[in-house]
Structure formats: C-alpha cells, structure tokens
Amino acid sequence: MNYLQLNDSDVQRMLNAMGVERVADLFRDIPAASRLDHPLALPGPLSEMELLADLQRLANANHGLDELTCFLGGGMYDHFIPTVVDELASQSEFVTAYTPYQAEASQGALQAFYEYQTLICLLTGMDVSNASLYEGATAAAEAVLMARAATGRKQVVVSATVHPHTRETLATYLAALPMQIVTVEAPAGVTSPEALRAHVGEQTAAVLIQTPNVFGCVERLDLLSNIAHDCGAMVIASVDPVSCGLLKTPGSLGVYIAVGDAQALGIPLSLGGPSLGFMACKREHMRRMPGRLVGATTDRSGRRAFCLTLQTREQHIRRERATSNICTNQGLCALRVAIHLSALGRGGLAQVARLCLDKAHYAAERIAGLTGFELRFAAPFFKEFVVRTTKNVDAVLGHARRRGILAGVPLGPWYPELSDCLLVAVTEKRTRDEIDRLAAALNEA
Amino acid sequence: MNATDKIAGAGLVPPEKLIFELSHPGLTAVSLADGDVPAAPPARVLPAELLAQSSPPLPEVGELDLVRHFTRLAHRLFSVDSNFYPLGSCTMKYNPKVNERAVAMPGLCHLHPLQPEADLQGILELLYHTRVFLEEIAGLAEATLQPCAGAHGEMTGVMIINAYHRHRGEDRPKILTPDSAHGTNPATCAMCGRHTSTVASGPDGRVDMADLRAKVDSSTAAMMITNPSTVGLFDPQIAEMARILHDQGALLYLDGANMNAILGITRPGDFGVDVMHFNVHKTFSTPHGCGGPGAGPVAVAEHLRPFLPGPQVVKHDDGSFGWASPGPLSIGRVRSFYGQISVLIRTYAYIRALGADGLRQVSEKAVLSANYLAALLKDHYRLPFTPPFAHEFIMVPEFREHGVTELDVAKRLIDYAIHPPTMSWPVAHCLMIEPTECESLATLDEFADAMIAIAEEAKTTPDRLHHAPLTMPVQRLDEVTAARKPDLRWNPPDEPSTQS
Ligand SMILES: Cc1ncc(COP(=O)(O)O)c(C=O)c1O
C-alpha cells in the first residue's frame, strides 16, 4: 500500500524493540466485547488507476459550469479565478501545514494571514480582521454572538433580505440561548428605514443587514446604521466583497462588524463549500473576536516576525469562556483570498466590480424588455436582480437548461410570495453573447 | 546600507517584504477583458451616498512579483510534505496527491450548489457513499456531512443532544467533560447554552468512575469524551460509562479526533456512543491547509436521527440521488448549502483507495509507530502513563535543574528540521507525540535520535536550547508585546494625492 512505509520486517523490528509479541497486543485495552470481529463493510481497495477512473465516472455524471452557462448566484458566484491563484495556493507547503502554532517554523503562513487580515480591513474599512471563519452564514451568526456579549441585550433584528441560509443558521445557533430573532419584512426588496425603526428597541443587541442583499439590491447602510445607533444597537453588515470595489466601505457607514462570504474572491464553487467567512470589526471589539488573529512583532534580534496572538480569547486557553469554539478555520481559502486580492490589485477589483455592474444591468434591461418579464424590484442593484415572469418559472428554467443555460435561482422555495420570480446573477465572466442567448431562451420558453 | 550589509544583516533566509511593500502604482497580476456591453455608470444606477470616491488601496503588483512573494512564503513553512510533523492530536498524516487531482477535476469542482439535482448525480452519489462509509466506520445509524470542522461537528452534536432532551420534555443543562478534554468541548457546550462539569481522571489517565457516578444526574445531558483519550489511552471503561449515562437518560458524545487509532478495530456505536463527529482532516487524510478547511461530519444512533440537520443527501428508490429536506424535529441548518464538498471528495478518495483492510492497517501502524517511539524515548523523557498507548502518547521533559522547559525542547527540534510535537497540553509541561502510520522506520529512528540528542544537549549545552531555533528565518518571538500592543494589520502610509 503506497501510503504506508513500514514493511513486515520493520514491523518485526519495532515489536522486538518494544518486547511486544504481536501488533494485536497493543490493542489490549479495547475490551473484547467492543471489538469488531469482521472487516468493515466497505468496498474493496482501488489502485490509483481504478480510483481515478471511478472519480472520472462520477465527474462525468455531473453537468457543471465547464459545460453550462451560469447565471446562478444566491450566495455563490461564478467569478473568474486567475491561474496564479490556483498555482500558488496549491504549493504543497501551504496545503500540508497545520495551523501556525510554531511561529519560527511557520512564518510563511503567518505572514500570508497577516496580509489577508490587512486586505480584509482595507476592503471593509475596518480596523481588525480575524484569519477566517468557516463561511458566510456562520460568520454572521458569530457576529451576532459577539454583539450579544458586547451589549448584554437579548434580541437581534434581522432583515428579511438577509440570505435565508444565513437566517436559518443564525436560528440554529441561537436555539439554546436566551436570544430572540425579530425579522423585518421588506416587500420592496430592500429594508425600509421606517420598518427597521419600528422593530428596534432598547433590547436590540444588533441589527443584521446584508448588502447587496439576497435579491441583489443595495441596502441603504448609511440610513439603517443611524437607526440602529439611535437605540444603542450594533450594526452587522454581511457584504459581497466584490461590491467593495465600488461601494463605500461598511466601516465608513457606521457598521461595527462586517462579515460575509469570500467565495467570490478566488475560491472555486465546489458545490457551495469550502468557502470562507470573513469578519472584521472596529478596534474596540477586537477582544471579542472569534477565531485566530495573527500579529506582527519582533524576534529576539529585532527582525519583524509574525505570530498567533490574543489567544486568551480562544478555546484552547479560555475553554468555556472563549469567544467561540472555532479551532480549525479556512486557512487555505484565506490564502487564496489573499493571493486573489493581491493579484487583482486596486484597479483590478474596481474593474471586476464595474464589469459585474455593467453586465448585470445590460442583462436586466434585455430581460425586462421581453414580453412576460419585468424587474420585480425598483431598488438599485449590483450584480444580481429579481425578475418576475408571467410564464411558469420551472418551465422557463427547464427550457433554458436544455439550451445549456442555468438561467437563475427560482425564489419560490425561499420566498413563497416570490414563486413567480427568478434571481439572476451576472458576473464579469458572462459575455454579451451569453446574455443575449439567455434573453433569447427566456423569450422562447 | 550597501548591498553587502543587507546580506550580512539578514538571517539564513532574507526577510520577505509584505505584499503591500512590493506595491507599485498601476501594476496588476490579472488580465481582464474590457467590457462588451454598454456601461452602466455607477453614478446613474447606484445611490450617490453609497458610492466610494476611490476603490480600496489593494497592493499593485505584477504577476512575477506576486508569484515570487507567495513562493517565498511557501518556503518559510514546515509542512508534512517537507518535514516530519508529529503534532499530537492533529494526525498529520500524508495527504495523497491523487486526492488533489480529484478535487481539481472540472466535473467535480465547477458545480453550483443551486443547480438542479439532475445535473449533480455524480457528486451526489459520491457524497451519499461517503455518508454511508462514515456510518459504517462509526457503527452508527446516520451521518450528516454538513459540519465545517471538528468544533462545528461538536456544536452540531450538542445541538442534537439539546433537541433530543427538549423533545422528551426535559431541560438538561449540564454536560460532563473529562479534565483532559480538548478546549473546543467546553467552548462548544457554552455556545450551545450548556454548562460543563469536569470529571476527574485517575493516576492511570483513565476516567475516575467514582467521580463520574457522583456527577451524573437527571440534569446531565451528556458526557463528551475523546477515546482514545487526548493523553493517548483507550479507556476500557467506555462501555460502562455509556451504561451509567444511559441509566440516567443522558447521552454519550464521542469527540472523534482520535479515530485514527481504531479504524476497523472497534466502532463507537459498538461501545455505546450515541453521537460523534469525525475530523476528516485528521483521520481521512484531507490536508490541513495552514489551518483549514477541514470537515466534521457527525454520526448518530437511531434515536437521534430525527434531529440531524438538513438537507441530507439521499438515494431514491429509483437509484437516483438527491437532497432531502429535514423533518420537523431537525435542529435546522448549521451552515449555508451542503458542506465542505472538496474536503469530502478527498475523504471519499481516501476510503476508496484503502478499503476496509487498508484502514485497519492504518490504525495498526499508527499505534505501532507511537508505541515504538515511546519505547525508544522512555529512558530519556518521563512517560506519565503506562503503555500500550494508542496512536499518540505524552512525555515530559524533566530538565528543570538545567533551566530547560518543554518549550526549549520543542524549539530545538525545529533545528533538526522536525516540526515540534503539541506542547503543554493536555498535561502541563508535556509533549504530545503522534507519528501517524505514514512514516518510515528511518524517519521514526531519526526523530528518536534527535530527541535523545536534545535530552543530552539539555544537560550539557542548555543555552543552545534557550536560543533555539537558530536555523529559521526568525528566532524566538516577542509574543508578549504582540499581545500587549496588537499589530494586526499593515497600515497604508498617507495616500499621496494623485495628480491628473
Ligand atoms: C481532541 C480534539 N477535539 C477537537 C478538535 C477540534 O477540531 P477542529 O480543529 O477540526 O475544529 C481537535 C483539533 O484540534 C482535537 O484535537
């Protein structure tokens, strides 16, 4: 077996050195009654050729974005990933190292995470970023727990325009805690300041807003923040990091904690995971942050050096009083994000954001011009928008799919009142021709 | 400073600038197509109040400098591929290369989670089989693949335990953990609104059964235990613990971090476990990636199935695969979409490559290797517990009279090009050593020789240990200042006014 390197005579030598007769003797603490007396019921071992053939068979049984044109979004986006990102992030030192506990032997990872933290701060206009959380929904839930700890209040107000997966995950996280979720309905596709004002109060620990929201619409973070501040609640914004190439930073709009999913920044779709949850906050909340933090310091000869720091927040030191239970994070995904943002650079991120904006608006105009289709919401949008159709949504999607196009996400399962609607996402990867073909397919359906 | 000074002033490896310090205006490492549609001017389509004056000051570098920078960083890093990495509790085994090829296959990687099931039959089949394999290895009824890592699996498991008791009309606020529990266990309990009570260990490192009996009562929701334990011992009393808990209506949770010691030898379901998580980034060879991503699938016994999170991957009667929505008792969603899919693809590939016999050999050789190292080192370091050990063991350097601590020993090992073991946990001053099954006898012997040489150095040249490591790009760090005056990001110098 190629993953193991001890042959029979090695095993014998090792047993002899220990004065043990058989390997089985090393397992004598396992009571006979609990021992398995038959092999596990698993399929037989595969050679590498057989394994690759099996995996290829499974790959072939999928129809992925290598064959189809994707206008699906809803939290995960088909953005372009430059070759350098894949190449650099797959260097095997990065892939096969553990969490950088031993700083002297891990400067490469630590420096990369320090750079990642800085990049997230620059993107969000915040002071402090951690070194990653699992993904966007759990990052939002962790942010709510932070706000709960910071304010001692018992309620979180969440807009209905926050992705349903985020809201469901939050509900799971809060199930056993004395913390109530209040939802603000948003019939116009964006959170209205008046509606928010009617729901917040002196028990509100945090207001959770997503922007651009699940419908692709851009929320008025500036106005919503003011309302939250008026009652002493913290504002948590879940943002699309690509939109940060164009929009004011959450940090400059009164947000205390910025979170989001960074899949759009160089992480393959991979059926929705692994991605990365980023979290950045103002300095005053630094010590409540969950997860790893990398800091710069000096070594004994005065050279700049990096290490994990403020670890007294973390589970391995603080145990039940830790800010979170998170241990393993999304290290390699954070590295991908750092490489991706560094590759794009200032101009590149702005250009991607502009291309998304242009193409989404072109697509929206084309689709809204078709008979039987209209834009569902009048609110401004970024790279994703909702269309209502008088046709049957499933039939429309099925027709487009037969043309090799994933036309959009049907909204009925998430919002029953929008069962005549589709959510369409357009990234910089989509060409005018592809958008025209989408419009044609919708028209024919 | 002239060029020679620069060389003389550096360590063995010259320092690497921050990517921000390499920035040069106007450069980029990507090539994007120009727009092919009419522009949508931001000022027309977006509210002026929300539009940024300028985009974030990300670094501007060309492709070559980007490549050099991240290649140099990669080289400032110990890893399984370059170093023996006996980091206890972390199971730093070899990460097979074929798994990396698998996750890069376009048909497995470029999949959107909201595509119709008909487009996803291959990946759903793979996930379904992975689920069934894990159920078999656990000896439990059903597994969920959703959790993102071990700690997230713990949280999912404790939420399931909460839901189970709530459904039976009980509120059980207490969870027991042994004193050697990993920090994530109590931290998880707190996040799930439970409080923990610690069960003592006896001098032999096993759970003190009298203390357990005294602490289990009708307010006990569960006990969370790692078995083999975090000190590397299989606790033979485990089935009895399960009985004691079950008699009081409480459940047994297994932290599966140490499954690498028992694959195909015993199954948690066979020793009374009700719910457990796997760390596939330990047991099933998925790489650690400088800290993640991992995955923490959770398996449960029959009576806990209704509480599992959803959606679940299922096989339909017609042989096709799909997602099933969770039932009314489910704890709900624990994350977006479905799980850490590319990590689970590697899990599948590993289990398929090895089969039942291969997995059993993994555990046998992991346990053999740990016990062999313990035997070679027992005369040089104190072993607080008696062998046989499971797949890892702890030992205590006792060189205090020479002023040498476990930290000094660990740091000196870096000069031998070996990653240090886990330090000072779960027993004060210890080193926890987990060689895994993957190492050659030559590597194991080299490690033992290095540890013995360091034990000698501790007595003869302790200063060398205090200064270690000497061969790295940096020497020991001022971690106190790092925590007192946190510097957690680079700050741009005041932006020069751009002249146009
Ligand atoms: C015993 C034990 N339990 C739990 C965990 C947490 O697992 P993860 O890091 O995957 O969240 C670890 C990992 O470090 C561990 O060693």
Side-chain angles (χ1 to χ4, degrees), chain A residues 98 101 134 292 325-329, chain B residues 88-90 148-152 154 181-185 226 230 255 257-258 277 279 281-282 294-295 425:
Chain A
Y98 195 72
Y101 289 135
Y134 303 133
R292 316 274 187 210
N325 68 341
I326 191 167
C327 179
T328 288
N329 58 14
Chain B
S89 206
C90 302
C148 306
H152 200 228
E154 291 173 32
H182 192 262
T184 50
N185 295 181
T226 311
T230 56
D255 177 331
N258 291 345
H277 76 262
N279 287 72
H281 43 299
K282 302 179 194 280
W425 180 79

mmCIF file of all heavy atoms in Angstrom, chain A residues 98 101 134 292 325-329, chain B residues 88-90 148-152 154 181-185 226 230 255 257-258 277 279 281-282 294-295 425, ligand 1:
data_model
loop_
_atom_site.group_PDB
_atom_site.id
_atom_site.type_symbol
_atom_site.label_atom_id
_atom_site.label_comp_id
_atom_site.label_asym_id
_atom_site.label_seq_id
_atom_site.Cartn_x
_atom_site.Cartn_y
_atom_site.Cartn_z
ATOM 1 N N TYR A 98 0.024 22.587 9.226
ATOM 2 C CA TYR A 98 -1.070 22.772 10.185
ATOM 3 C C TYR A 98 -1.188 24.254 10.527
ATOM 4 O O TYR A 98 -0.430 25.092 10.032
ATOM 5 C CB TYR A 98 -0.784 21.938 11.449
ATOM 6 C CG TYR A 98 -1.999 21.768 12.339
ATOM 7 C CD1 TYR A 98 -3.050 20.931 11.941
ATOM 8 C CD2 TYR A 98 -2.120 22.450 13.537
ATOM 9 C CE1 TYR A 98 -4.171 20.789 12.727
ATOM 10 C CE2 TYR A 98 -3.248 22.307 14.336
ATOM 11 C CZ TYR A 98 -4.274 21.477 13.929
ATOM 12 O OH TYR A 98 -5.383 21.332 14.714
ATOM 13 N N TYR A 101 1.078 27.215 14.785
ATOM 14 C CA TYR A 101 1.342 27.351 16.217
ATOM 15 C C TYR A 101 2.814 27.663 16.497
ATOM 16 O O TYR A 101 3.143 28.383 17.432
ATOM 17 C CB TYR A 101 1.018 26.047 16.956
ATOM 18 C CG TYR A 101 -0.442 25.708 17.063
ATOM 19 C CD1 TYR A 101 -0.896 24.424 16.812
ATOM 20 C CD2 TYR A 101 -1.374 26.669 17.447
ATOM 21 C CE1 TYR A 101 -2.235 24.101 16.937
ATOM 22 C CE2 TYR A 101 -2.706 26.354 17.567
ATOM 23 C CZ TYR A 101 -3.138 25.067 17.316
ATOM 24 O OH TYR A 101 -4.458 24.749 17.431
ATOM 25 N N TYR A 134 -15.635 29.865 9.093
ATOM 26 C CA TYR A 134 -15.960 28.796 8.144
ATOM 27 C C TYR A 134 -16.534 29.305 6.820
ATOM 28 O O TYR A 134 -16.075 28.957 5.752
ATOM 29 C CB TYR A 134 -16.975 27.827 8.742
ATOM 30 C CG TYR A 134 -16.566 27.169 10.039
ATOM 31 C CD1 TYR A 134 -17.445 27.111 11.111
ATOM 32 C CD2 TYR A 134 -15.320 26.572 10.182
ATOM 33 C CE1 TYR A 134 -17.104 26.473 12.294
ATOM 34 C CE2 TYR A 134 -14.972 25.940 11.364
ATOM 35 C CZ TYR A 134 -15.865 25.893 12.422
ATOM 36 O OH TYR A 134 -15.531 25.271 13.588
ATOM 37 N N ARG A 292 -8.740 32.828 14.963
ATOM 38 C CA ARG A 292 -7.325 33.166 15.042
ATOM 39 C C ARG A 292 -7.077 34.616 14.653
ATOM 40 O O ARG A 292 -7.726 35.131 13.752
ATOM 41 C CB ARG A 292 -6.516 32.290 14.065
ATOM 42 C CG ARG A 292 -6.873 30.838 14.057
ATOM 43 C CD ARG A 292 -6.126 30.093 15.118
ATOM 44 N NE ARG A 292 -6.373 28.657 14.989
ATOM 45 C CZ ARG A 292 -6.359 27.824 16.029
ATOM 46 N NH1 ARG A 292 -6.132 28.259 17.253
ATOM 47 N NH2 ARG A 292 -6.574 26.540 15.856
ATOM 48 N N ASN A 325 -16.045 28.535 19.832
ATOM 49 C CA ASN A 325 -15.382 27.222 19.904
ATOM 50 C C ASN A 325 -14.490 26.971 18.686
ATOM 51 O O ASN A 325 -13.869 25.919 18.589
ATOM 52 C CB ASN A 325 -16.422 26.101 20.022
ATOM 53 C CG ASN A 325 -17.246 25.935 18.763
ATOM 54 O OD1 ASN A 325 -17.309 26.838 17.929
ATOM 55 N ND2 ASN A 325 -17.886 24.798 18.615
ATOM 56 N N ILE A 326 -14.418 27.919 17.758
ATOM 57 C CA ILE A 326 -13.734 27.616 16.489
ATOM 58 C C ILE A 326 -12.253 27.318 16.721
ATOM 59 O O ILE A 326 -11.591 27.953 17.536
ATOM 60 C CB ILE A 326 -13.929 28.734 15.445
ATOM 61 C CG1 ILE A 326 -13.436 28.246 14.068
ATOM 62 C CG2 ILE A 326 -13.212 30.014 15.853
ATOM 63 C CD1 ILE A 326 -13.855 29.140 12.916
ATOM 64 N N CYS A 327 -11.758 26.337 15.996
ATOM 65 C CA CYS A 327 -10.357 25.908 16.109
ATOM 66 C C CYS A 327 -9.825 25.870 14.677
ATOM 67 O O CYS A 327 -9.305 26.860 14.179
ATOM 68 C CB CYS A 327 -10.334 24.549 16.814
ATOM 69 S SG CYS A 327 -8.705 23.842 17.028
ATOM 70 N N THR A 328 -10.013 24.759 13.965
ATOM 71 C CA THR A 328 -9.720 24.733 12.532
ATOM 72 C C THR A 328 -10.562 25.797 11.839
ATOM 73 O O THR A 328 -11.756 25.914 12.104
ATOM 74 C CB THR A 328 -10.054 23.330 11.980
ATOM 75 O OG1 THR A 328 -9.077 22.424 12.455
ATOM 76 C CG2 THR A 328 -10.072 23.317 10.470
ATOM 77 N N ASN A 329 -9.915 26.584 10.962
ATOM 78 C CA ASN A 329 -10.678 27.593 10.218
ATOM 79 C C ASN A 329 -10.605 27.270 8.734
ATOM 80 O O ASN A 329 -10.707 26.104 8.368
ATOM 81 C CB ASN A 329 -10.191 29.000 10.591
ATOM 82 C CG ASN A 329 -8.702 29.202 10.309
ATOM 83 O OD1 ASN A 329 -8.060 28.421 9.604
ATOM 84 N ND2 ASN A 329 -8.156 30.260 10.850
ATOM 85 N N GLY B 88 0.870 16.075 18.073
ATOM 86 C CA GLY B 88 -0.130 15.240 18.725
ATOM 87 C C GLY B 88 -1.525 15.809 18.643
ATOM 88 O O GLY B 88 -1.730 17.015 18.710
ATOM 89 N N SER B 89 -2.495 14.923 18.466
ATOM 90 C CA SER B 89 -3.920 15.226 18.380
ATOM 91 C C SER B 89 -4.318 15.737 16.994
ATOM 92 O O SER B 89 -5.494 15.870 16.714
ATOM 93 C CB SER B 89 -4.360 16.248 19.451
ATOM 94 O OG SER B 89 -5.725 16.056 19.734
ATOM 95 N N CYS B 90 -3.332 16.023 16.142
ATOM 96 C CA CYS B 90 -3.645 16.635 14.848
ATOM 97 C C CYS B 90 -3.544 15.670 13.678
ATOM 98 O O CYS B 90 -3.971 15.987 12.578
ATOM 99 C CB CYS B 90 -2.754 17.847 14.620
ATOM 100 S SG CYS B 90 -2.955 19.076 15.932
ATOM 101 N N CYS B 148 -18.462 21.989 9.314
ATOM 102 C CA CYS B 148 -17.290 22.547 8.641
ATOM 103 C C CYS B 148 -15.963 22.071 9.220
ATOM 104 O O CYS B 148 -14.929 22.202 8.576
ATOM 105 C CB CYS B 148 -17.318 24.065 8.736
ATOM 106 S SG CYS B 148 -18.833 24.793 8.126
ATOM 107 N N ALA B 149 -15.954 21.622 10.471
ATOM 108 C CA ALA B 149 -14.705 21.205 11.122
ATOM 109 C C ALA B 149 -15.096 20.440 12.374
ATOM 110 O O ALA B 149 -16.289 20.292 12.669
ATOM 111 C CB ALA B 149 -13.861 22.427 11.480
ATOM 112 N N GLY B 150 -14.092 19.992 13.112
ATOM 113 C CA GLY B 150 -14.378 19.225 14.314
ATOM 114 C C GLY B 150 -15.243 19.998 15.298
ATOM 115 O O GLY B 150 -16.264 19.506 15.787
ATOM 116 N N ALA B 151 -14.841 21.235 15.594
ATOM 117 C CA ALA B 151 -15.587 22.018 16.576
ATOM 118 C C ALA B 151 -17.014 22.287 16.100
ATOM 119 O O ALA B 151 -17.947 22.320 16.904
ATOM 120 C CB ALA B 151 -14.866 23.345 16.835
ATOM 121 N N HIS B 152 -17.185 22.456 14.808
ATOM 122 C CA HIS B 152 -18.524 22.688 14.266
ATOM 123 C C HIS B 152 -19.358 21.414 14.350
ATOM 124 O O HIS B 152 -20.567 21.455 14.572
ATOM 125 C CB HIS B 152 -18.398 23.173 12.818
ATOM 126 C CG HIS B 152 -19.598 23.897 12.295
ATOM 127 N ND1 HIS B 152 -20.156 23.611 11.076
ATOM 128 C CD2 HIS B 152 -20.338 24.893 12.826
ATOM 129 C CE1 HIS B 152 -21.192 24.408 10.865
ATOM 130 N NE2 HIS B 152 -21.323 25.201 11.921
ATOM 131 N N GLU B 154 -18.910 19.246 16.779
ATOM 132 C CA GLU B 154 -19.271 19.199 18.199
ATOM 133 C C GLU B 154 -20.532 20.026 18.448
ATOM 134 O O GLU B 154 -21.451 19.607 19.159
ATOM 135 C CB GLU B 154 -18.142 19.776 19.066
ATOM 136 C CG GLU B 154 -16.891 18.933 19.115
ATOM 137 C CD GLU B 154 -15.758 19.648 19.863
ATOM 138 O OE1 GLU B 154 -16.051 20.417 20.799
ATOM 139 O OE2 GLU B 154 -14.589 19.441 19.495
ATOM 140 N N ALA B 181 -10.176 17.039 28.431
ATOM 141 C CA ALA B 181 -10.926 17.374 27.209
ATOM 142 C C ALA B 181 -10.241 18.492 26.421
ATOM 143 O O ALA B 181 -9.652 19.408 26.990
ATOM 144 C CB ALA B 181 -12.348 17.797 27.552
ATOM 145 N N HIS B 182 -10.367 18.412 25.117
ATOM 146 C CA HIS B 182 -9.894 19.470 24.230
ATOM 147 C C HIS B 182 -10.705 20.738 24.503
ATOM 148 O O HIS B 182 -11.893 20.664 24.817
ATOM 149 C CB HIS B 182 -10.090 19.026 22.785
ATOM 150 C CG HIS B 182 -9.385 19.887 21.786
ATOM 151 N ND1 HIS B 182 -10.017 20.886 21.086
ATOM 152 C CD2 HIS B 182 -8.101 19.895 21.371
ATOM 153 C CE1 HIS B 182 -9.143 21.468 20.276
ATOM 154 N NE2 HIS B 182 -7.979 20.893 20.426
ATOM 155 N N GLY B 183 -10.077 21.898 24.339
ATOM 156 C CA GLY B 183 -10.742 23.173 24.633
ATOM 157 C C GLY B 183 -12.026 23.397 23.862
ATOM 158 O O GLY B 183 -12.937 24.090 24.332
ATOM 159 N N THR B 184 -12.115 22.807 22.672
ATOM 160 C CA THR B 184 -13.347 23.015 21.908
ATOM 161 C C THR B 184 -14.549 22.392 22.609
ATOM 162 O O THR B 184 -15.668 22.859 22.407
ATOM 163 C CB THR B 184 -13.224 22.408 20.492
ATOM 164 O OG1 THR B 184 -12.754 21.062 20.605
ATOM 165 C CG2 THR B 184 -12.270 23.206 19.625
ATOM 166 N N ASN B 185 -14.350 21.342 23.419
ATOM 167 C CA ASN B 185 -15.503 20.674 24.047
ATOM 168 C C ASN B 185 -16.241 21.625 24.996
ATOM 169 O O ASN B 185 -17.437 21.874 24.802
ATOM 170 C CB ASN B 185 -15.095 19.391 24.779
ATOM 171 C CG ASN B 185 -14.553 18.279 23.867
ATOM 172 O OD1 ASN B 185 -14.217 17.205 24.332
ATOM 173 N ND2 ASN B 185 -14.449 18.531 22.570
ATOM 174 N N THR B 226 -13.249 11.935 24.546
ATOM 175 C CA THR B 226 -12.377 11.575 23.431
ATOM 176 C C THR B 226 -11.796 10.208 23.774
ATOM 177 O O THR B 226 -11.241 10.043 24.858
ATOM 178 C CB THR B 226 -11.239 12.604 23.283
ATOM 179 O OG1 THR B 226 -11.803 13.923 23.287
ATOM 180 C CG2 THR B 226 -10.476 12.411 21.990
ATOM 181 N N THR B 230 -7.177 12.135 24.925
ATOM 182 C CA THR B 230 -6.180 13.098 24.471
ATOM 183 C C THR B 230 -4.797 12.809 25.059
ATOM 184 O O THR B 230 -3.817 13.369 24.587
ATOM 185 C CB THR B 230 -6.601 14.529 24.849
ATOM 186 O OG1 THR B 230 -6.810 14.576 26.253
ATOM 187 C CG2 THR B 230 -7.880 14.923 24.150
ATOM 188 N N ASP B 255 -15.875 12.646 20.851
ATOM 189 C CA ASP B 255 -15.024 13.515 20.042
ATOM 190 C C ASP B 255 -14.127 12.582 19.241
ATOM 191 O O ASP B 255 -13.264 11.904 19.797
ATOM 192 C CB ASP B 255 -14.223 14.428 20.981
ATOM 193 C CG ASP B 255 -13.248 15.341 20.246
ATOM 194 O OD1 ASP B 255 -12.770 14.958 19.160
ATOM 195 O OD2 ASP B 255 -12.949 16.422 20.774
ATOM 196 N N ALA B 257 -11.707 12.913 17.254
ATOM 197 C CA ALA B 257 -10.395 13.395 16.810
ATOM 198 C C ALA B 257 -9.381 12.252 16.740
ATOM 199 O O ALA B 257 -8.433 12.320 15.957
ATOM 200 C CB ALA B 257 -9.885 14.484 17.743
ATOM 201 N N ASN B 258 -9.569 11.234 17.557
ATOM 202 C CA ASN B 258 -8.568 10.172 17.633
ATOM 203 C C ASN B 258 -8.998 8.870 16.966
ATOM 204 O O ASN B 258 -8.505 7.798 17.303
ATOM 205 C CB ASN B 258 -8.197 9.929 19.099
ATOM 206 C CG ASN B 258 -7.413 11.111 19.663
ATOM 207 O OD1 ASN B 258 -6.928 11.951 18.916
ATOM 208 N ND2 ASN B 258 -7.301 11.182 20.972
ATOM 209 N N HIS B 277 -18.445 13.098 16.226
ATOM 210 C CA HIS B 277 -18.006 13.746 14.989
ATOM 211 C C HIS B 277 -16.693 13.118 14.536
ATOM 212 O O HIS B 277 -15.945 12.568 15.345
ATOM 213 C CB HIS B 277 -17.837 15.265 15.169
ATOM 214 C CG HIS B 277 -16.594 15.674 15.901
ATOM 215 N ND1 HIS B 277 -16.581 15.969 17.242
ATOM 216 C CD2 HIS B 277 -15.315 15.840 15.475
ATOM 217 C CE1 HIS B 277 -15.347 16.291 17.605
ATOM 218 N NE2 HIS B 277 -14.559 16.217 16.561
ATOM 219 N N ASN B 279 -13.098 14.017 12.398
ATOM 220 C CA ASN B 279 -12.273 15.082 11.825
ATOM 221 C C ASN B 279 -11.662 14.477 10.563
ATOM 222 O O ASN B 279 -10.655 13.779 10.645
ATOM 223 C CB ASN B 279 -11.119 15.471 12.749
ATOM 224 C CG ASN B 279 -11.580 16.242 13.952
ATOM 225 O OD1 ASN B 279 -12.187 15.657 14.841
ATOM 226 N ND2 ASN B 279 -11.302 17.518 13.988
ATOM 227 N N HIS B 281 -10.029 15.846 8.386
ATOM 228 C CA HIS B 281 -8.693 16.412 8.160
ATOM 229 C C HIS B 281 -7.679 15.801 9.110
ATOM 230 O O HIS B 281 -6.511 16.158 9.050
ATOM 231 C CB HIS B 281 -8.733 17.940 8.259
ATOM 232 C CG HIS B 281 -9.543 18.462 9.404
ATOM 233 N ND1 HIS B 281 -10.869 18.213 9.548
ATOM 234 C CD2 HIS B 281 -9.204 19.238 10.452
ATOM 235 C CE1 HIS B 281 -11.320 18.805 10.652
ATOM 236 N NE2 HIS B 281 -10.326 19.421 11.220
ATOM 237 N N LYS B 282 -8.103 14.945 9.980
ATOM 238 C CA LYS B 282 -7.142 14.155 10.738
ATOM 239 C C LYS B 282 -7.180 12.728 10.179
ATOM 240 O O LYS B 282 -6.240 12.260 9.574
ATOM 241 C CB LYS B 282 -7.494 14.153 12.228
ATOM 242 C CG LYS B 282 -7.570 15.538 12.864
ATOM 243 C CD LYS B 282 -7.949 15.427 14.339
ATOM 244 C CE LYS B 282 -8.369 16.754 14.942
ATOM 245 N NZ LYS B 282 -7.267 17.622 15.316
ATOM 246 N N GLY B 294 -11.258 22.028 6.939
ATOM 247 C CA GLY B 294 -11.460 20.625 7.259
ATOM 248 C C GLY B 294 -12.917 20.291 7.047
ATOM 249 O O GLY B 294 -13.614 20.961 6.284
ATOM 250 N N ALA B 295 -13.356 19.226 7.688
ATOM 251 C CA ALA B 295 -14.786 18.901 7.718
ATOM 252 C C ALA B 295 -15.026 18.041 8.938
ATOM 253 O O ALA B 295 -14.142 17.284 9.337
ATOM 254 C CB ALA B 295 -15.228 18.182 6.449
ATOM 255 N N TRP B 425 -0.074 20.420 26.628
ATOM 256 C CA TRP B 425 -1.486 20.035 26.655
ATOM 257 C C TRP B 425 -1.579 18.569 26.286
ATOM 258 O O TRP B 425 -0.857 18.172 25.373
ATOM 259 C CB TRP B 425 -2.302 20.869 25.659
ATOM 260 C CG TRP B 425 -3.750 20.470 25.685
ATOM 261 C CD1 TRP B 425 -4.697 20.831 26.597
ATOM 262 C CD2 TRP B 425 -4.402 19.569 24.777
ATOM 263 N NE1 TRP B 425 -5.881 20.214 26.313
ATOM 264 C CE2 TRP B 425 -5.731 19.437 25.209
ATOM 265 C CE3 TRP B 425 -3.988 18.839 23.652
ATOM 266 C CZ2 TRP B 425 -6.667 18.616 24.560
ATOM 267 C CZ3 TRP B 425 -4.918 18.026 23.009
ATOM 268 C CH2 TRP B 425 -6.241 17.922 23.455
HETATM 269 C C1 LIG C 1 -9.282 16.218 20.606
HETATM 270 C C2 LIG C 1 -9.739 17.283 19.683
HETATM 271 N N1 LIG C 1 -11.025 17.665 19.707
HETATM 272 C C3 LIG C 1 -11.496 18.626 18.887
HETATM 273 C C4 LIG C 1 -10.674 19.268 17.991
HETATM 274 C C5 LIG C 1 -11.236 20.382 17.154
HETATM 275 O O1 LIG C 1 -11.314 20.046 15.815
HETATM 276 P P1 LIG C 1 -11.247 21.155 14.685
HETATM 277 O O2 LIG C 1 -9.933 21.816 14.797
HETATM 278 O O3 LIG C 1 -11.412 20.396 13.423
HETATM 279 O O4 LIG C 1 -12.372 22.108 14.902
HETATM 280 C C6 LIG C 1 -9.320 18.895 17.927
HETATM 281 C C7 LIG C 1 -8.424 19.530 16.944
HETATM 282 O O5 LIG C 1 -7.524 20.219 17.162
HETATM 283 C C8 LIG C 1 -8.846 17.889 18.786
HETATM 284 O O6 LIG C 1 -7.557 17.526 18.760
#
